[in-house]
Amino acid sequence: MADGRYSRFEPALAALVIFYFGALYYLRIGDRASEIDFGSYYVWAYAARHGINPYLAANVKSLAIRLGVDALTANYPPLFILMVEPLSLLPPQRAFWLWSGINLMFLLISVTMLVSGLEGRQKRVFFGAAALLYGPVTDALFWGQAEIVVLLLLSVALLGLRNRRDCLCGIAVGLAALWKVYPILVLGYFVLCRRKAVVVYAGLTVLAGIAVSAGAFITEINVGFMNELWRTGGDKYWPYTLDVSLGAVISRFLLLLAGGNPDSTVKMITVATIALSEALAAALTIYATLIARRRGEEILAFGLWVATAVVLTPIIWVHHLTILLIPLV
């Protein structure tokens, strides 16, 4: 009865979603081919394809000027750059629209997989529409970000978890880590639940990805990624208001209390507070996972680890919250 009562709203809901995405792509996204973040991906891919290190700011700046796009220094894994290299064979405008189309397709596939686990047509339809209209999803599409791929891979991992397909689950988590590093934290769930096969498959996937990166790129590029990863994981982005990571929020709050004077004492207190907060978040997640495991609520615990992976990420922009669709579902 409930499904029938709400079914008359489904055509209007579908029309709203279609209109929203049409307006988003036509009015907002259409002129972003040369802008950050896609501009960065394009320059990184172009640089790597020509044997130029994209982890050096000077290289990226000169190439961006030559190609007529905006770009920042690379801080994603080499395998990510290798995967987007084919886009740099196209002019920026065409590459951008291809990338945007791939992102949209992956988003639709991800949402379809997520709602497949819900009972009842009404829940699937309304959650699916809400997921597509979710603010961080719009942000990821607008900036041409890569978070939709992480959502897809973790959705595949969730599907593998539901169906007890350890190989699929492990490979998906491993690929997500090779794409943007931080999803590797999700393996903590499988370690606690003693899902050794998932951990092994994920580890082998990561090792294979590292081997591919080592073979595809010169040593300078692979070492450059490690150096940039270290800098990115520090306080480089804490002053940015849009960075809502634990480190950034705590740092700005303590700096405000100190009257804007970042002396050595304030820095020491900041680092200690951040470390304590992250340790507390990890401890609470472990505790909740053990409880969920005793109750047989594995799916709920997996969603919790996805959320924790976001919380413990050194940098959190709005588009990172896209993968919170998994714990929400």
Side-chain angles (χ1 to χ4, degrees):
M1 288 296 293
D3 284 354
R5 186 168 66 249
Y6 288 102
S7 62
R8 64 180 184 272
F9 294 110
E10 292 178 10
L13 195 56
L16 173 63
V17 172
I18 292 172
F19 174 79
Y20 176 79
F21 275 87
L24 178 66
Y25 274 82
Y26 181 75
L27 299 176
R28 298 294 306 280
I29 297 179
D31 60 348
R32 293 199 54 81
S34 61
E35 305 291 333
I36 297 171
D37 289 316
F38 175 76
S40 294
Y41 302 159
Y42 188 86
V43 172
W44 302 347
Y46 187 94
R49 188 163 59 86
H50 289 84
I52 301 171
N53 186 359
Y55 298 102
L56 290 180
N59 292 345
V60 172
K61 184 177 180 180
S62 61
L63 268 181
I65 293 173
R66 188 196 312 173
L67 296 172
V69 297
D70 292 334
L72 299 173
T73 307
N75 56 9
Y76 284 28
L79 193 69
F80 169 86
I81 298 176
L82 181 64
M83 291 297 100
V84 300
E85 261 192 33
L87 293 175
S88 67
L89 296 170
L90 300 172
Q93 189 72 29
R94 292 182 183 177
F96 170 76
W97 279 111
L98 177 59
W99 174 253
S100 297
I102 291 172
N103 258 345
L104 181 58
M105 178 183 67
F106 283 171
L107 172 63
L108 295 175
I109 294 172
S110 301
V111 172
T112 300
M113 284 193 293
L114 288 176
V115 301
S116 67
L118 297 176
E119 295 181 0
R121 176 185 174 88
Q122 177 190 332
K123 285 184 179 180
R124 291 193 293 270
V125 170
F126 279 84
F127 182 86
L132 293 173
L133 299 174
Y134 179 48
V137 167
T138 300
D139 194 73
L141 293 173
F142 174 77
W143 291 101
Q145 255 292 335
E147 225 63 40
I148 301 296
V149 178
V150 179
L151 175 65
L152 173 67
L153 291 170
L154 291 182
S155 298
V156 171
L158 176 60
L159 187 65
L161 179 63
R162 285 172 174 160
N163 297 325
R164 308 294 296 184
R165 297 178 63 181
D166 291 347
C167 177
L168 177 66
C169 192
I171 291 174
V173 173
L175 289 175
L178 289 169
W179 190 257
K180 285 204 73 174
V181 181
Y182 74 89
I184 195 68
L185 294 173
V186 176
L187 279 182
Y189 162 76
F190 297 104
V191 172
L192 280 177
C193 293
R194 299 178 183 176
R195 300 286 293 273
K196 296 179 181 178
V198 177
V199 177
V200 169
Y201 281 118
L204 291 175
T205 301
V206 171
L207 289 176
I210 293 173
V212 170
S213 298
F217 298 122
I218 59 176
T219 304
E220 181 186 355
I221 291 180
N222 289 288
V223 172
F225 165 65
M226 299 306 298
N227 292 334
E228 188 61 31
L229 182 64
W230 177 260
R231 289 193 292 268
T232 301
D235 59 359
K236 181 178 178 180
Y237 293 96
W238 286 355
Y240 289 79
T241 305
L242 291 178
D243 182 6
V244 293
S245 64
L246 272 177
V249 172
I250 292 172
S251 172
R252 292 197 296 266
F253 177 71
L254 292 179
L255 185 61
L256 182 65
L257 290 181
N261 180 28
D263 57 25
S264 58
T265 303
V266 173
K267 290 181 179 179
M268 184 176 63
I269 293 175
T270 298
V271 171
T273 305
I274 292 170
L276 180 62
S277 300
E278 292 178 345
L280 179 61
L284 289 174
T285 302
I286 293 171
Y287 176 69
T289 301
L290 295 176
I291 294 176
R293 188 184 175 202
R294 287 200 299 269
R295 296 178 178 177
E297 298 176 338
E298 291 187 349
I299 304 300
L300 183 62
F302 178 79
L304 180 61
W305 274 93
V306 171
T308 301
V310 175
V311 170
L312 297 182
T313 302
I315 305 170
I316 303 178
W317 308 117
V318 174
H319 58 77
H320 283 107
L321 305 182
T322 296
I323 68 168
L324 291 186
L325 285 174
I326 293 174
L328 286 173
V329 75

